Amino acid sequence: MDHASAAPPGRGARMPRASRPVLFVIDDDAGVMQALRDDLSRRFGEDFRVLGETSAAAGLATLRGLADAGETVALLITDHDMAEMPGVEFLARAHDMHPLAKRVLLVERDYSARSPVVQAMMLGEADYHFTKPWTLEQDLYRMVSEFLAEWAKDRQAGFELFEVVGRPQDRRTHELGELLTRFNVPYGFHTADSEQGRRLIEHSGLDGSRLPVMIRHDDYTVVDPTLDQIITAIGASTHDDLDECDVVVIGAGPAGLTAAVYAASEGLLTVVLEETVSGGQAGSSPMIRNYPGFPHGVSGHELTRRTCEQAWMFGAHLVFAQQVAGLEARDGRHVVRMAGGRQVAATAVIIATGVTWRRLGVPRLEALVGSGVFYGVAGSETQAMAGRNVFVVGAGNSAGQAALHLARHAREVTVLVRGDSLARSMSEYLIREIEATANVAVCLRTEVIDAHGGDYLDTLTLRDTRHDRSRQVPAAALFVLIGGEPRTRWLPETIQLDTGGYILTGRDVVRDGSHPARWPLDRAPLPLETSMPGVFAAGDARDRSMKRVASAVGDGAAAVRLVHEYLEAGQEDDEDAGRISRPGRG
Ligand SMILES: Cc1cc2nc3c(=O)[nH]c(=O)nc-3n(C[C@H](O)[C@H](O)[C@H](O)COP(=O)(O)OP(=O)(O)OC[C@H]3O[C@@H](n4cnc5c(N)ncnc54)[C@H](O)[C@@H]3O)c2cc1C
């Protein structure tokens, strides 16, 4: 990314020189500090002031002065090994004064597990690192540009593609925000009774009686928009004219999008049908730390947005707001039926419909979904939790990550766990990070049994299952991350599922005739092939899948390779499949 576009002032405006945000460098080796200042000034000096110090005391004094003067610090670049004070300690103190600054550790090249950066990153004491000595173009400029882009995004400064005016507690407002976030569309939110909100409503010639209102930068305005209208306003497609293609991919999460990239790039005419917008579960994950190639982590919606664009650039037909409701083999083709009745026929199909969150099943909680109760955590909600007490239900990695992410903004995060330990379900590194985070508490053997609030969540009732005691606690929000169930109910009975509803593939497909959905061919099913020849399953919806982004991506890519094998082997063996056509499971 070009450094100029990472600068915060919107629409390309340049800030007055004195108020430019600061890149702050501290290293007790004066030569290193000066070299870094010079290198940074050369590339970023137009948009940022580059300041430096060679002692921790002087550094903290300068940063205090900047904070008192209301100056913005974008990056705190700190040598990890200063004689006077360890780098992480300096970062912690400096960050207290400039909480929005990104913290960067400057370390020696040392790829051992003992490198200080490993622990600092794991415990969330630094956001990024880079090594010294550095090369200008490959290391310093590229990485600093990326850090600044993330900093600018967090500040939500810059060009807003949409302005949304609504009531913050409103479910529709929440849904709209979530969709815009998943599409990575920059937007500003204004409450209907704020000055800016009133001004925007008036400017649009509306009376504000119907909310939310979505106003695009070119004044195109939609009141209480439907999913279709939102997607169209963003510039994505909800319709496609194709009724024949090589491959239909169902679902645009990591598995489906990757399948689309590979299928389209390898010359297959590819249609992707997605019920909402692209991203899947990953699109609601604020930070994915374990996806290969992103040592500092990557936000799920950023990752899936890029994959979506890549699929589009290879020529995949991406169709959103299209729920698939049926699939049948007919005349050697696979006919995919959408909820609205439209059909598309394909030689092969890849099912990548993932899972959906399990529900807590407490009626008053369910009524508050979107109004203080959230399944999953979207980036849009976390900042709104600044200074509040929030709760997370769940004991898996998703719950752990959500708690840590929320802890960056919330006053206190309480993780509610039904069982008596986190160790069975959460990765060790997350448990350690939680233990090291002062504002995250864990309550074991605790269930949420009720919720209270008018339009918005106000109080939760928790039950301590060990002593069978209940108590009420004030709560600004509850985030539920208790796993999911596969999105496979709509599949025809010819596709074999396990008892949990996950799709059986490859050698797990029952072939001995003991299953009502008989495998119809002499050849064995290919890996990832379902019991309907030519139909493959990828990602979380598949039985024995890993439930990780990288494995879903791997499945998506592998499924396309197998589609080629299916096509190359010829479909003559599979002609029998054409006779199989049964109703859905309902
Ligand atoms: C909050 C959160 C944090 C996570 N963090 C991590 C992490 O840090 N690391 C990691 O590796 N994994 C993480 N995961 C898990 C990871 O996101 C999933 O494993 C991954 O997204 C699965 O990808 P998928 O494509 O198989 O399914 P999904 O991501 O579930 O995508 C399925 C898509 O199919 C669509 N769909 C469903 N039914 C239909 C239908 N009938 N018609 C059309 N479309 C349909 C859905 O709308 C959805 O977009 C996290 C998950 C969550 C929720």
Side-chain angles (χ1 to χ4, degrees), residues 182 249-257 273-291 298 304 319 322-326 351-357 375-378 397-399 401-402 429-430 481 487-488 490 538-542 545-553 555:
R182 272 175 69 172
V249 178
I250 308 172
L257 289 171
L273 300 172
E274 163 58 49
E275 182 181 317
T276 57
V277 296
S278 64
Q281 298 163 74
S284 71
S285 174
M287 180 59 79
I288 293 173
R289 287 271 307 271
N290 60 354
Y291 190 75
V298 59
T304 50
V319 194
Q322 288 294 349
Q323 185 190 21
V324 172
I351 303 168
T353 47
V355 300
T356 192
W357 292 111
Y375 280 87
V377 184
N397 281 355
S398 305
Q401 284 161 357
Y429 83 94
L430 283 170
L481 297 108
R487 310 277 311 270
T488 53
W490 60 274
D540 281 11
R542 182 175 67 78
S545 63
M546 298 270 298
K547 312 286 181 291
R548 292 285 182 277
V549 178
S551 53
V553 162
D555 266 12

Side-chain angles (χ1 to χ4, degrees), residues 168-171 174 360 362-375 381 384-385 388-393 406 412 414 416 448-462 471-480:
Q169 323 82 310
D170 190 67
R171 180 190 303 239
H174 165 71
L360 280 178
V362 176
R364 268 198 283 220
L365 262 177
E366 297 299 332
L368 288 169
V369 169
S371 300
V373 176
F374 305 100
Y375 280 87
E381 279 122 27
M385 297 303 145
R388 289 150 189 259
N389 290 348
V390 303
F391 291 78
V392 172
V393 183
L406 286 160
E412 192 170 282
T414 308
L416 306 172
V448 185
I449 55 168
D450 208 351
H452 313 272
D455 290 340
Y456 202 82
L457 176 68
D458 181 45
T459 312
L460 291 173
T461 307
L462 308 181
R471 67 191 162 110
Q472 292 203 337
V473 289
L478 176 76
F479 296 90
V480 186

Side-chain angles (χ1 to χ4, degrees), residues 19-78:
S19 60
R20 282 170 301 154
V22 170
L23 309 184
F24 189 81
V25 180
I26 180 156
D27 195 314
D28 55 7
D29 181 330
V32 173
M33 191 279 285
Q34 195 53 51
L36 192 48
R37 270 190 75 179
D38 291 347
D39 288 344
L40 289 171
S41 300
R42 214 169 297 127
R43 175 60 69 94
F44 301 101
E46 279 293 313
D47 298 316
F48 295 88
R49 273 187 296 156
V50 186
L51 305 181
E53 294 289 354
T54 51
S55 80
L60 290 173
T62 303
L63 289 167
R64 165 60 51 212
L66 290 168
D68 290 345
E71 302 272 357
T72 304
V73 176
L75 296 185
L76 294 160
I77 304 175
T78 307

Side-chain angles (χ1 to χ4, degrees), residues 416-563:
L416 306 172
V417 180
R418 231 172 24 180
D420 56 7
S421 147
L422 284 178
R424 263 193 298 275
S425 44
M426 196 180 286
S427 300
E428 172 67 21
Y429 83 94
L430 283 170
I431 296 176
R432 270 192 285 142
E433 244 183 277
I434 285 177
E435 283 166 359
T437 307
N439 62 337
V440 180
V442 178
C443 286
L444 300 174
R445 298 195 190 91
T446 305
E447 290 175 350
V448 185
I449 55 168
D450 208 351
H452 313 272
D455 290 340
Y456 202 82
L457 176 68
D458 181 45
T459 312
L460 291 173
T461 307
L462 308 181
R463 192 168 78 95
D464 171 346
T465 55
R466 199 173 14 176
H467 303 106
D468 196 17
R469 258 188 245 131
S470 299
R471 67 191 162 110
Q472 292 203 337
V473 289
L478 176 76
F479 296 90
V480 186
L481 297 108
I482 52 172
E485 69 178 51
R487 310 277 311 270
T488 53
R489 280 174 189 273
W490 60 274
L491 283 169
E493 287 172 356
T494 35
I495 294 199
Q496 296 177 8
L497 307 179
D498 73 1
T499 48
Y502 290 91
I503 304 170
L504 296 179
T505 57
R507 62 191 160 93
D508 293 327
V509 167
V510 181
R511 297 178 61 202
D512 62 8
S514 62
H515 195 287
R518 190 182 65 84
W519 169 254
L521 306 178
D522 291 337
R523 71 162 172 88
L526 295 167
L528 302 188
E529 194 170 23
T530 69
S531 53
M532 186 186 274
V535 175
F536 298 80
D540 281 11
R542 182 175 67 78
D543 179 46
R544 298 216 236 177
S545 63
M546 298 270 298
K547 312 286 181 291
R548 292 285 182 277
V549 178
S551 53
V553 162
D555 266 12
V560 174
R561 175 66 242 143
L562 295 160
V563 165

